[in-house]
Amino acid sequence: MRIDPLRPDSAYTEELRQTQYHDTPADRFDRRRSALSPSLPPAAPAAAPVSLTAARWDRMRRALGCR
């Protein structure tokens, strides 16, 4: 899905705020939406495929604060 963060339509802007920055007040969203980019690919390709096996399950380091 591609977005147009600088589209002038106020209904579109509010929908974008609700889906991306719902916890940001509407009056502060204009600065935040300029950080959104329509030209990035949907997902960056992985350098190598990750194979999942029962032996390797839960062997990745977890981020701090996640359990």
Side-chain angles (χ1 to χ4, degrees):
M1 178 177 108
R2 296 192 60 117
I3 61 170
D4 181 5
L6 302 179
R7 186 172 166 179
D9 179 16
S10 61
Y12 181 85
T13 301
E14 178 58 17
E15 184 175 355
L16 189 61
R17 183 181 78 82
Q18 288 296 325
T19 58
Q20 302 294 321
Y21 287 90
H22 61 87
D23 56 345
T24 300
D27 60 331
R28 292 185 176 181
F29 179 61
D30 276 340
R31 283 188 72 179
R32 305 298 190 269
R33 73 180 175 146
S34 65
L36 298 172
S37 174
S39 58
L40 294 176
V50 177
S51 59
L52 302 177
T53 64
R56 293 178 56 190
W57 183 256
D58 200 32
R59 297 287 182 195
M60 295 180 74
R61 274 185 53 196
R62 296 182 185 265
L64 294 175
C66 296
R67 300 244 179 227

Short mmCIF file of all heavy atoms in Angstrom, two decimals:
data_model
loop_
_atom_site.label_atom_id
_atom_site.label_comp_id
_atom_site.label_asym_id
_atom_site.label_seq_id
_atom_site.Cartn_x
_atom_site.Cartn_y
_atom_site.Cartn_z
N MET A 1 0.84 -1.17 0.00
CA MET A 1 0.00 0.00 0.00
C MET A 1 0.89 1.23 0.00
O MET A 1 1.86 1.32 0.73
CB MET A 1 -0.88 -0.02 1.24
CG MET A 1 -1.76 1.17 1.34
SD MET A 1 -2.83 1.06 2.77
CE MET A 1 -2.09 2.29 3.79
N ARG A 2 0.55 2.17 -0.83
CA ARG A 2 1.32 3.41 -0.88
C ARG A 2 0.48 4.53 -0.28
O ARG A 2 -0.73 4.55 -0.38
CB ARG A 2 1.69 3.73 -2.31
CG ARG A 2 2.62 2.64 -2.86
CD ARG A 2 3.23 3.06 -4.13
NE ARG A 2 4.00 4.27 -3.97
CZ ARG A 2 5.31 4.34 -4.17
NH1 ARG A 2 5.97 3.29 -4.50
NH2 ARG A 2 5.94 5.48 -4.04
N ILE A 3 1.15 5.46 0.35
CA ILE A 3 0.48 6.60 0.96
C ILE A 3 1.02 7.89 0.37
O ILE A 3 2.09 7.91 -0.21
CB ILE A 3 0.65 6.61 2.50
CG1 ILE A 3 2.14 6.71 2.86
CG2 ILE A 3 0.02 5.39 3.13
CD1 ILE A 3 2.41 6.96 4.30
N ASP A 4 0.25 8.93 0.52
CA ASP A 4 0.69 10.27 0.11
C ASP A 4 0.60 11.15 1.35
O ASP A 4 -0.43 11.76 1.63
CB ASP A 4 -0.21 10.79 -1.01
CG ASP A 4 0.22 12.16 -1.49
OD1 ASP A 4 1.26 12.66 -1.02
OD2 ASP A 4 -0.49 12.73 -2.33
N PRO A 5 1.66 11.22 2.15
CA PRO A 5 1.59 11.93 3.42
C PRO A 5 1.34 13.43 3.30
O PRO A 5 0.87 14.04 4.25
CB PRO A 5 2.95 11.66 4.07
CG PRO A 5 3.84 11.28 2.97
CD PRO A 5 2.98 10.66 1.91
N LEU A 6 1.63 14.02 2.17
CA LEU A 6 1.44 15.47 2.02
C LEU A 6 0.19 15.83 1.23
O LEU A 6 0.02 16.97 0.82
CB LEU A 6 2.69 16.08 1.38
CG LEU A 6 3.98 15.84 2.17
CD1 LEU A 6 5.16 16.45 1.46
CD2 LEU A 6 3.86 16.33 3.59
N ARG A 7 -0.71 14.88 1.03
CA ARG A 7 -1.96 15.15 0.32
C ARG A 7 -2.76 16.19 1.09
O ARG A 7 -2.92 16.09 2.31
CB ARG A 7 -2.73 13.83 0.22
CG ARG A 7 -3.96 13.89 -0.59
CD ARG A 7 -4.48 12.47 -0.74
NE ARG A 7 -5.81 12.46 -1.23
CZ ARG A 7 -6.49 11.35 -1.48
NH1 ARG A 7 -5.93 10.18 -1.26
NH2 ARG A 7 -7.71 11.39 -1.93
N PRO A 8 -3.29 17.20 0.41
CA PRO A 8 -3.98 18.29 1.10
C PRO A 8 -5.39 17.97 1.59
O PRO A 8 -5.97 18.76 2.32
CB PRO A 8 -4.00 19.41 0.06
CG PRO A 8 -3.91 18.71 -1.25
CD PRO A 8 -3.11 17.48 -1.02
N ASP A 9 -5.95 16.84 1.23
CA ASP A 9 -7.32 16.46 1.62
C ASP A 9 -7.38 16.23 3.13
O ASP A 9 -6.70 15.36 3.67
CB ASP A 9 -7.72 15.21 0.85
CG ASP A 9 -9.10 14.71 1.20
OD1 ASP A 9 -9.89 15.46 1.79
OD2 ASP A 9 -9.39 13.55 0.86
N SER A 10 -8.19 16.99 3.85
CA SER A 10 -8.23 16.91 5.31
C SER A 10 -8.79 15.58 5.81
O SER A 10 -8.33 15.07 6.84
CB SER A 10 -9.04 18.07 5.89
OG SER A 10 -10.36 18.03 5.42
N ALA A 11 -9.74 14.98 5.11
CA ALA A 11 -10.26 13.67 5.52
C ALA A 11 -9.18 12.60 5.39
O ALA A 11 -9.03 11.73 6.26
CB ALA A 11 -11.49 13.30 4.69
N TYR A 12 -8.41 12.64 4.32
CA TYR A 12 -7.31 11.70 4.12
C TYR A 12 -6.25 11.89 5.19
O TYR A 12 -5.73 10.93 5.76
CB TYR A 12 -6.71 11.90 2.73
CG TYR A 12 -5.58 10.95 2.40
CD1 TYR A 12 -5.84 9.68 1.90
CD2 TYR A 12 -4.26 11.32 2.60
CE1 TYR A 12 -4.80 8.81 1.61
CE2 TYR A 12 -3.22 10.46 2.30
CZ TYR A 12 -3.51 9.21 1.81
OH TYR A 12 -2.48 8.34 1.52
N THR A 13 -5.92 13.14 5.49
CA THR A 13 -4.92 13.44 6.51
C THR A 13 -5.35 12.90 7.87
O THR A 13 -4.54 12.32 8.59
CB THR A 13 -4.69 14.96 6.61
OG1 THR A 13 -4.25 15.43 5.33
CG2 THR A 13 -3.65 15.31 7.65
N GLU A 14 -6.62 13.05 8.22
CA GLU A 14 -7.10 12.55 9.51
C GLU A 14 -7.07 11.02 9.54
O GLU A 14 -6.70 10.41 10.54
CB GLU A 14 -8.52 13.06 9.79
CG GLU A 14 -9.11 12.55 11.09
CD GLU A 14 -8.29 12.89 12.34
OE1 GLU A 14 -7.42 13.78 12.31
OE2 GLU A 14 -8.53 12.25 13.37
N GLU A 15 -7.43 10.38 8.44
CA GLU A 15 -7.36 8.91 8.38
C GLU A 15 -5.91 8.45 8.53
O GLU A 15 -5.63 7.47 9.23
CB GLU A 15 -7.97 8.39 7.08
CG GLU A 15 -8.01 6.88 7.01
CD GLU A 15 -8.71 6.38 5.77
OE1 GLU A 15 -9.25 7.19 4.99
OE2 GLU A 15 -8.70 5.15 5.58
N LEU A 16 -5.00 9.13 7.88
CA LEU A 16 -3.59 8.80 7.99
C LEU A 16 -3.11 8.97 9.43
O LEU A 16 -2.39 8.13 9.97
CB LEU A 16 -2.78 9.70 7.05
CG LEU A 16 -1.31 9.39 6.86
CD1 LEU A 16 -1.11 8.00 6.28
CD2 LEU A 16 -0.68 10.43 5.96
N ARG A 17 -3.53 10.03 10.08
CA ARG A 17 -3.16 10.26 11.49
C ARG A 17 -3.69 9.15 12.38
O ARG A 17 -3.00 8.63 13.23
CB ARG A 17 -3.68 11.61 11.98
CG ARG A 17 -3.24 11.93 13.41
CD ARG A 17 -3.79 13.25 13.87
NE ARG A 17 -5.18 13.16 14.25
CZ ARG A 17 -5.62 12.74 15.43
NH1 ARG A 17 -4.77 12.36 16.36
NH2 ARG A 17 -6.90 12.70 15.70
N GLN A 18 -4.94 8.75 12.16
CA GLN A 18 -5.55 7.71 12.98
C GLN A 18 -4.86 6.35 12.80
O GLN A 18 -4.77 5.58 13.74
CB GLN A 18 -7.04 7.57 12.67
CG GLN A 18 -7.88 8.72 13.17
CD GLN A 18 -7.86 8.80 14.69
OE1 GLN A 18 -7.82 7.81 15.40
NE2 GLN A 18 -7.88 10.03 15.19
N THR A 19 -4.38 6.07 11.59
CA THR A 19 -3.74 4.78 11.36
C THR A 19 -2.25 4.76 11.69
O THR A 19 -1.73 3.71 12.06
CB THR A 19 -3.91 4.34 9.89
OG1 THR A 19 -3.36 5.33 9.03
CG2 THR A 19 -5.36 4.11 9.55
N GLN A 20 -1.57 5.88 11.60
CA GLN A 20 -0.12 5.90 11.81
C GLN A 20 0.30 6.56 13.13
O GLN A 20 1.27 6.13 13.73
CB GLN A 20 0.57 6.64 10.65
CG GLN A 20 0.30 6.06 9.30
CD GLN A 20 0.89 4.67 9.14
OE1 GLN A 20 1.99 4.39 9.61
NE2 GLN A 20 0.17 3.80 8.49
N TYR A 21 -0.38 7.61 13.53
CA TYR A 21 0.01 8.39 14.71
C TYR A 21 -1.22 8.70 15.57
O TYR A 21 -1.45 9.83 15.95
CB TYR A 21 0.67 9.70 14.29
CG TYR A 21 2.07 9.56 13.73
CD1 TYR A 21 2.28 9.36 12.38
CD2 TYR A 21 3.17 9.64 14.57
CE1 TYR A 21 3.55 9.24 11.87
CE2 TYR A 21 4.45 9.53 14.07
CZ TYR A 21 4.64 9.33 12.72
OH TYR A 21 5.90 9.21 12.21
N HIS A 22 -2.00 7.69 15.87
CA HIS A 22 -3.27 7.91 16.58
C HIS A 22 -3.10 8.56 17.95
O HIS A 22 -4.02 9.19 18.46
CB HIS A 22 -4.03 6.59 16.74
CG HIS A 22 -3.26 5.58 17.52
ND1 HIS A 22 -3.33 5.51 18.88
CD2 HIS A 22 -2.40 4.62 17.13
CE1 HIS A 22 -2.54 4.54 19.32
NE2 HIS A 22 -1.96 3.98 18.27
N ASP A 23 -1.92 8.43 18.54
CA ASP A 23 -1.70 9.03 19.85
C ASP A 23 -1.11 10.44 19.78
O ASP A 23 -0.80 11.04 20.79
CB ASP A 23 -0.81 8.13 20.71
CG ASP A 23 0.53 7.82 20.04
OD1 ASP A 23 0.66 8.07 18.83
OD2 ASP A 23 1.43 7.34 20.73
N THR A 24 -0.96 10.96 18.56
CA THR A 24 -0.43 12.31 18.37
C THR A 24 -1.61 13.27 18.16
O THR A 24 -2.48 13.01 17.35
CB THR A 24 0.48 12.36 17.13
OG1 THR A 24 1.56 11.45 17.32
CG2 THR A 24 1.01 13.75 16.89
N PRO A 25 -1.65 14.37 18.90
CA PRO A 25 -2.74 15.34 18.70
C PRO A 25 -2.76 15.85 17.26
O PRO A 25 -1.71 15.98 16.62
CB PRO A 25 -2.40 16.46 19.67
CG PRO A 25 -1.50 15.84 20.69
CD PRO A 25 -0.75 14.76 19.97
N ALA A 26 -3.94 16.14 16.76
CA ALA A 26 -4.11 16.57 15.37
C ALA A 26 -3.28 17.81 15.05
O ALA A 26 -2.73 17.92 13.96
CB ALA A 26 -5.59 16.82 15.08
N ASP A 27 -3.15 18.73 16.01
CA ASP A 27 -2.39 19.95 15.73
C ASP A 27 -0.88 19.71 15.64
O ASP A 27 -0.15 20.56 15.15
CB ASP A 27 -2.69 21.02 16.78
CG ASP A 27 -2.33 20.60 18.18
OD1 ASP A 27 -2.35 19.39 18.49
OD2 ASP A 27 -2.02 21.49 19.00
N ARG A 28 -0.39 18.56 16.07
CA ARG A 28 1.04 18.24 15.98
C ARG A 28 1.34 17.27 14.84
O ARG A 28 2.50 16.97 14.58
CB ARG A 28 1.52 17.64 17.28
CG ARG A 28 1.52 18.62 18.41
CD ARG A 28 2.12 17.98 19.62
NE ARG A 28 2.22 18.93 20.70
CZ ARG A 28 2.71 18.63 21.87
NH1 ARG A 28 3.16 17.43 22.11
NH2 ARG A 28 2.77 19.54 22.80
N PHE A 29 0.33 16.75 14.19
CA PHE A 29 0.53 15.71 13.18
C PHE A 29 1.23 16.24 11.93
O PHE A 29 1.95 15.50 11.28
CB PHE A 29 -0.79 15.05 12.82
CG PHE A 29 -0.65 13.99 11.77
CD1 PHE A 29 0.14 12.88 11.99
CD2 PHE A 29 -1.29 14.11 10.56
CE1 PHE A 29 0.28 11.90 11.03
CE2 PHE A 29 -1.16 13.14 9.59
CZ PHE A 29 -0.38 12.03 9.83
N ASP A 30 1.03 17.49 11.57
CA ASP A 30 1.65 18.01 10.34
C ASP A 30 3.17 17.83 10.34
O ASP A 30 3.75 17.48 9.32
CB ASP A 30 1.30 19.48 10.13
CG ASP A 30 -0.04 19.65 9.45
OD1 ASP A 30 -0.51 18.69 8.82
OD2 ASP A 30 -0.61 20.74 9.56
N ARG A 31 3.82 18.05 11.47
CA ARG A 31 5.27 17.83 11.53
C ARG A 31 5.62 16.36 11.41
O ARG A 31 6.61 16.00 10.80
CB ARG A 31 5.83 18.37 12.84
CG ARG A 31 5.96 19.87 12.85
CD ARG A 31 6.67 20.34 14.07
NE ARG A 31 8.10 20.00 13.97
CZ ARG A 31 8.97 20.31 14.89
NH1 ARG A 31 8.59 20.94 15.97
NH2 ARG A 31 10.24 19.99 14.75
N ARG A 32 4.79 15.50 11.99
CA ARG A 32 5.07 14.07 11.98
C ARG A 32 4.84 13.44 10.61
O ARG A 32 5.57 12.56 10.20
CB ARG A 32 4.21 13.33 13.00
CG ARG A 32 4.29 13.83 14.42
CD ARG A 32 5.70 13.69 14.99
NE ARG A 32 5.76 13.94 16.40
CZ ARG A 32 5.99 15.11 16.96
NH1 ARG A 32 6.14 16.17 16.22
NH2 ARG A 32 6.07 15.24 18.25
N ARG A 33 3.83 13.91 9.90
CA ARG A 33 3.51 13.25 8.63
C ARG A 33 4.56 13.50 7.56
O ARG A 33 4.68 12.74 6.62
CB ARG A 33 2.12 13.63 8.13
CG ARG A 33 1.97 15.01 7.60
CD ARG A 33 0.54 15.21 7.15
NE ARG A 33 0.32 16.58 6.73
CZ ARG A 33 -0.48 16.93 5.77
NH1 ARG A 33 -1.16 16.01 5.14
NH2 ARG A 33 -0.62 18.18 5.44
N SER A 34 5.37 14.54 7.72
CA SER A 34 6.46 14.75 6.75
C SER A 34 7.53 13.67 6.87
O SER A 34 8.32 13.48 5.96
CB SER A 34 7.07 16.13 6.93
OG SER A 34 7.69 16.23 8.19
N ALA A 35 7.56 12.94 7.99
CA ALA A 35 8.52 11.84 8.17
C ALA A 35 8.06 10.58 7.45
O ALA A 35 8.86 9.68 7.21
CB ALA A 35 8.71 11.55 9.65
N LEU A 36 6.78 10.49 7.13
CA LEU A 36 6.28 9.34 6.39
C LEU A 36 6.70 9.47 4.93
O LEU A 36 6.72 10.56 4.38
CB LEU A 36 4.75 9.28 6.49
CG LEU A 36 4.19 9.11 7.89
CD1 LEU A 36 2.67 9.26 7.87
CD2 LEU A 36 4.59 7.78 8.46
N SER A 37 7.04 8.38 4.30
CA SER A 37 7.53 8.45 2.94
C SER A 37 6.79 7.47 2.03
O SER A 37 6.72 6.29 2.33
CB SER A 37 9.02 8.13 2.91
OG SER A 37 9.48 8.05 1.58
N PRO A 38 6.28 7.96 0.90
CA PRO A 38 5.60 7.07 -0.03
C PRO A 38 6.56 6.32 -0.94
O PRO A 38 6.18 5.42 -1.65
CB PRO A 38 4.73 8.02 -0.85
CG PRO A 38 5.52 9.28 -0.88
CD PRO A 38 6.18 9.35 0.48
N SER A 39 7.84 6.67 -0.93
CA SER A 39 8.76 6.08 -1.90
C SER A 39 9.57 4.91 -1.35
O SER A 39 10.41 4.38 -2.05
CB SER A 39 9.70 7.15 -2.43
OG SER A 39 10.41 7.74 -1.37
N LEU A 40 9.35 4.51 -0.12
CA LEU A 40 10.07 3.37 0.43
C LEU A 40 9.37 2.08 0.01
O LEU A 40 8.16 2.03 -0.12
CB LEU A 40 10.11 3.44 1.96
CG LEU A 40 10.92 4.59 2.53
CD1 LEU A 40 10.79 4.60 4.05
CD2 LEU A 40 12.37 4.50 2.13
N PRO A 41 10.12 1.00 -0.19
CA PRO A 41 9.47 -0.27 -0.53
C PRO A 41 8.65 -0.78 0.65
O PRO A 41 8.93 -0.41 1.80
CB PRO A 41 10.64 -1.20 -0.83
CG PRO A 41 11.81 -0.60 -0.14
CD PRO A 41 11.55 0.89 -0.11
N PRO A 42 7.65 -1.62 0.42
CA PRO A 42 6.82 -2.13 1.52
C PRO A 42 7.63 -2.85 2.59
O PRO A 42 7.33 -2.78 3.75
CB PRO A 42 5.85 -3.08 0.86
CG PRO A 42 5.96 -2.85 -0.59
CD PRO A 42 7.23 -2.11 -0.86
N ALA A 43 8.67 -3.55 2.20
CA ALA A 43 9.53 -4.24 3.17
C ALA A 43 10.92 -4.37 2.56
O ALA A 43 11.06 -4.64 1.37
CB ALA A 43 8.97 -5.62 3.48
N ALA A 44 11.91 -4.18 3.38
CA ALA A 44 13.28 -4.34 2.89
C ALA A 44 13.58 -5.82 2.74
O ALA A 44 13.25 -6.61 3.61
CB ALA A 44 14.25 -3.70 3.88
N PRO A 45 14.20 -6.20 1.64
CA PRO A 45 14.51 -7.62 1.48
C PRO A 45 15.55 -8.08 2.49
O PRO A 45 16.46 -7.33 2.84
CB PRO A 45 15.05 -7.70 0.05
CG PRO A 45 15.50 -6.32 -0.27
CD PRO A 45 14.63 -5.39 0.54
N ALA A 46 15.40 -9.28 2.96
CA ALA A 46 16.36 -9.84 3.91
C ALA A 46 17.63 -10.24 3.17
O ALA A 46 17.60 -10.62 2.01
CB ALA A 46 15.74 -11.05 4.60
N ALA A 47 18.75 -10.15 3.86
CA ALA A 47 20.03 -10.52 3.24
C ALA A 47 20.08 -12.02 2.95
O ALA A 47 20.62 -12.44 1.95
CB ALA A 47 21.17 -10.13 4.16
N ALA A 48 19.52 -12.81 3.83
CA ALA A 48 19.49 -14.25 3.63
C ALA A 48 18.18 -14.79 4.20
O ALA A 48 17.66 -14.25 5.18
CB ALA A 48 20.67 -14.90 4.34
N PRO A 49 17.63 -15.83 3.61
CA PRO A 49 16.39 -16.38 4.15
C PRO A 49 16.61 -16.95 5.55
O PRO A 49 17.70 -17.43 5.88
CB PRO A 49 16.01 -17.49 3.17
CG PRO A 49 17.19 -17.70 2.30
CD PRO A 49 18.09 -16.53 2.43
N VAL A 50 15.61 -16.87 6.37
CA VAL A 50 15.68 -17.40 7.73
C VAL A 50 14.93 -18.71 7.75
O VAL A 50 13.74 -18.76 7.44
CB VAL A 50 15.05 -16.41 8.74
CG1 VAL A 50 15.05 -16.99 10.14
CG2 VAL A 50 15.80 -15.09 8.70
N SER A 51 15.63 -19.77 8.12
CA SER A 51 14.97 -21.07 8.18
C SER A 51 14.54 -21.35 9.61
O SER A 51 15.29 -21.10 10.56
CB SER A 51 15.90 -22.18 7.68
OG SER A 51 17.07 -22.20 8.46
N LEU A 52 13.34 -21.84 9.76
CA LEU A 52 12.79 -22.14 11.08
C LEU A 52 12.81 -23.64 11.30
O LEU A 52 12.36 -24.41 10.46
CB LEU A 52 11.36 -21.63 11.19
CG LEU A 52 11.19 -20.12 10.95
CD1 LEU A 52 9.72 -19.75 11.00
CD2 LEU A 52 11.97 -19.33 11.97
N THR A 53 13.35 -24.04 12.43
CA THR A 53 13.36 -25.45 12.81
C THR A 53 13.00 -25.56 14.27
O THR A 53 13.15 -24.60 15.04
CB THR A 53 14.75 -26.09 12.59
OG1 THR A 53 15.68 -25.45 13.46
CG2 THR A 53 15.22 -25.97 11.15
N ALA A 54 12.54 -26.72 14.68
CA ALA A 54 12.20 -26.94 16.08
C ALA A 54 13.41 -26.77 16.98
O ALA A 54 13.32 -26.24 18.09
CB ALA A 54 11.58 -28.32 16.26
N ALA A 55 14.59 -27.17 16.52
CA ALA A 55 15.81 -27.07 17.32
C ALA A 55 16.24 -25.62 17.54
O ALA A 55 16.81 -25.28 18.57
CB ALA A 55 16.94 -27.85 16.65
N ARG A 56 15.94 -24.76 16.57
CA ARG A 56 16.35 -23.37 16.67
C ARG A 56 15.25 -22.46 17.20
O ARG A 56 15.44 -21.25 17.32
CB ARG A 56 16.80 -22.87 15.29
CG ARG A 56 18.07 -23.55 14.83
CD ARG A 56 18.47 -23.10 13.45
NE ARG A 56 18.60 -21.65 13.41
CZ ARG A 56 18.74 -20.95 12.30
NH1 ARG A 56 18.77 -21.56 11.14
NH2 ARG A 56 18.84 -19.65 12.32
N TRP A 57 14.12 -22.97 17.50
CA TRP A 57 13.01 -22.16 17.97
C TRP A 57 13.39 -21.43 19.25
O TRP A 57 13.98 -22.00 20.16
CB TRP A 57 11.78 -23.03 18.21
CG TRP A 57 10.59 -22.24 18.61
CD1 TRP A 57 10.07 -22.14 19.86
CD2 TRP A 57 9.77 -21.42 17.78
NE1 TRP A 57 8.99 -21.31 19.86
CE2 TRP A 57 8.78 -20.85 18.59
CE3 TRP A 57 9.79 -21.10 16.43
CZ2 TRP A 57 7.82 -19.99 18.10
CZ3 TRP A 57 8.83 -20.24 15.95
CH2 TRP A 57 7.86 -19.71 16.77
N ASP A 58 13.10 -20.16 19.33
CA ASP A 58 13.34 -19.33 20.51
C ASP A 58 14.83 -19.18 20.82
O ASP A 58 15.22 -19.02 21.96
CB ASP A 58 12.59 -19.88 21.72
CG ASP A 58 12.41 -18.81 22.79
OD1 ASP A 58 12.27 -17.63 22.44
OD2 ASP A 58 12.40 -19.16 23.98
N ARG A 59 15.68 -19.18 19.80
CA ARG A 59 17.11 -19.01 20.01
C ARG A 59 17.58 -17.60 19.69
O ARG A 59 18.73 -17.29 19.89
CB ARG A 59 17.90 -20.00 19.15
CG ARG A 59 17.64 -21.43 19.49
CD ARG A 59 18.31 -21.76 20.79
NE ARG A 59 18.10 -23.17 21.11
CZ ARG A 59 18.30 -23.69 22.27
NH1 ARG A 59 18.71 -22.95 23.26
NH2 ARG A 59 18.08 -24.95 22.49
N MET A 60 16.72 -16.76 19.17
CA MET A 60 17.13 -15.40 18.85
C MET A 60 17.14 -14.55 20.11
O MET A 60 16.28 -14.71 20.97
CB MET A 60 16.19 -14.79 17.81
CG MET A 60 16.24 -15.51 16.49
SD MET A 60 15.12 -14.78 15.30
CE MET A 60 16.01 -13.30 14.91
N ARG A 61 18.13 -13.64 20.20
CA ARG A 61 18.15 -12.72 21.33
C ARG A 61 16.93 -11.84 21.29
O ARG A 61 16.54 -11.34 20.25
CB ARG A 61 19.39 -11.84 21.27
CG ARG A 61 20.59 -12.47 21.89
CD ARG A 61 21.75 -11.52 21.91
NE ARG A 61 21.41 -10.26 22.53
CZ ARG A 61 22.14 -9.17 22.39
NH1 ARG A 61 23.23 -9.19 21.68
NH2 ARG A 61 21.78 -8.05 22.98
N ARG A 62 16.37 -11.62 22.40
CA ARG A 62 15.21 -10.75 22.48
C ARG A 62 15.64 -9.33 22.79
O ARG A 62 16.67 -9.11 23.41
CB ARG A 62 14.25 -11.26 23.56
CG ARG A 62 13.70 -12.63 23.22
CD ARG A 62 12.73 -13.05 24.30
NE ARG A 62 12.27 -14.39 24.06
CZ ARG A 62 11.15 -14.71 23.42
NH1 ARG A 62 10.38 -13.77 22.95
NH2 ARG A 62 10.79 -15.96 23.26
N ALA A 63 14.83 -8.39 22.34
CA ALA A 63 15.12 -6.98 22.61
C ALA A 63 14.91 -6.69 24.09
O ALA A 63 14.16 -7.39 24.78
CB ALA A 63 14.21 -6.10 21.78
N LEU A 64 15.58 -5.68 24.59
CA LEU A 64 15.40 -5.30 25.99
C LEU A 64 13.95 -4.97 26.25
O LEU A 64 13.29 -4.31 25.46
CB LEU A 64 16.27 -4.11 26.33
CG LEU A 64 17.78 -4.35 26.28
CD1 LEU A 64 18.52 -3.04 26.51
CD2 LEU A 64 18.20 -5.36 27.30
N GLY A 65 13.43 -5.41 27.34
CA GLY A 65 12.06 -5.10 27.71
C GLY A 65 11.05 -6.08 27.17
O GLY A 65 9.90 -6.05 27.54
N CYS A 66 11.44 -6.97 26.26
CA CYS A 66 10.51 -7.96 25.71
C CYS A 66 10.77 -9.30 26.37
O CYS A 66 11.90 -9.70 26.57
CB CYS A 66 10.71 -8.11 24.20
SG CYS A 66 10.33 -6.62 23.31
N ARG A 67 9.76 -9.97 26.71
CA ARG A 67 9.89 -11.29 27.31
C ARG A 67 8.98 -12.27 26.63
O ARG A 67 7.98 -12.02 26.15
CB ARG A 67 9.54 -11.25 28.78
CG ARG A 67 10.43 -10.31 29.53
CD ARG A 67 11.25 -11.04 30.54
NE ARG A 67 12.09 -10.06 31.21
CZ ARG A 67 13.34 -10.27 31.40
NH1 ARG A 67 13.92 -11.36 31.03
NH2 ARG A 67 14.06 -9.37 32.00
#
